[in-house]
Amino acid sequence: MSANPLLRVLGGPRSAHHLRRWINLWPPFLGAGIRITRIAPDMKSINVEMKLRFWNANYVGTHFGGSLFAMTDAFYMLMLMHHLGRDYIVWDKAATIRYRKPGRGTVRVEFRLTDAQVEDVREKLKTLPKYEPFFHLEVKDDSGAVIAEVEKLLHVRKRSDGREEPHGSGGMQPEILRHSSG
């Protein structure tokens, strides 16, 4: 079974269809008009799109930047959690977005995770206490033009005692408190 509580609740790793359905109903995505169009059964590929609607347009009639950013949130974290399993802690640590041109119509982003990327994380964590891989994404319009580039930084480490980590503050605060207390 997957280390991801969301995946467990929604049917486990064998149920990408259920995960897609439930994430599409998640209020922040539903309200922004963000929709997952495909999740591969092996969780190595996720496609997300957002149509331009009056409720997700900014004051000049193009896609609201926050919605463009939101459509790239959490997917690499979920994918890595699924593939690494219970012995690893995975957090989204940081992200940047660079807007290249106004988004109009339907915009899309594709998340891809390779076996080599997963194995690279495992190999790095054999000798390092943590590893922070970068992922690069391009949000594209219907013509294939890049309207935004996103860099995602994840924080990955092996679980030290098998307990669930407290959520909040990106998972970083509990580690800081442990180090500062002794």
Side-chain angles (χ1 to χ4, degrees), residues 43-114:
M43 286 286 290
K44 289 190 179 156
S45 172
I46 298 177
N47 296 345
V48 179
E49 74 175 24
M50 181 173 53
K51 294 179 181 177
L52 183 61
R53 304 284 192 222
F54 76 90
W55 64 82
N56 65 8
N58 61 22
Y59 50 86
V60 294
T62 62
H63 277 289
F64 174 62
S67 296
L68 290 168
F69 196 58
M71 73 185 290
T72 67
D73 194 26
F75 293 109
Y76 274 122
M77 182 184 77
L78 290 173
M79 293 164 79
L80 264 180
M81 288 172 75
H82 173 80
H83 287 283
L84 293 174
R86 296 179 185 262
D87 294 335
Y88 296 84
I89 296 165
V90 183
W91 291 100
D92 267 333
K93 184 171 183 178
T96 59
I97 188 165
R98 180 174 302 220
Y99 301 104
R100 294 294 185 189
K101 68 180 259 186
R104 295 182 176 89
T106 301
V107 295
R108 294 177 178 82
V109 63
E110 298 177 349
F111 298 83
R112 301 293 182 259
L113 187 64
T114 65

